[in-house]
Amino acid sequence: MTFYAWTISVPGRQVMKEVTTLPELLDVLRVLALPGVELFLQVDDILPDQGRYTNDEGTMDEWSLKWTKVDGETEVIE
């Protein structure tokens, strides 16, 4: 299972920092319902191992997402 360390910054809100799977990150973005998030979600299948996305920099709709892929496999202990 692949994990991503990510940070979401929205002016006027507390910065969110988490380590989750990609589907969990996308769920968080959907729940936050940030302006322009639907456009970002349309390209989720080509998400590189690391990157940064800024929506409408310098406007009232500005928010940003930084992510990096975390290497490693989850070990299941029975």
Side-chain angles (χ1 to χ4, degrees):
M1 185 174 289
T2 303
F3 289 89
Y4 290 83
W6 51 265
T7 302
I8 297 174
S9 300
V10 180
R13 291 189 188 181
Q14 186 173 8
V15 174
M16 297 177 67
K17 295 181 179 186
E18 298 285 337
V19 176
T20 65
T21 63
L22 182 57
E24 291 168 328
L25 166 57
L26 299 177
D27 286 346
V28 169
L29 288 170
R30 284 184 188 95
V31 168
L32 291 174
L34 298 168
V37 77
E38 288 303 319
L39 179 62
F40 178 79
L41 292 174
Q42 291 174 7
V43 296
D44 70 319
D45 60 330
I46 58 170
L47 196 68
D49 289 349
Q50 64 180 5
R52 179 183 190 136
Y53 172 81
T54 301
N55 185 75
D56 292 339
E57 188 170 4
T59 71
M60 291 184 61
D61 290 340
E62 180 179 335
W63 60 272
S64 66
L65 167 66
K66 293 185 281 185
W67 68 90
T68 188
K69 185 177 178 180
V70 178
D71 289 332
E73 293 290 320
T74 302
E75 183 177 331
V76 177
I77 300 173
E78 295 181 22

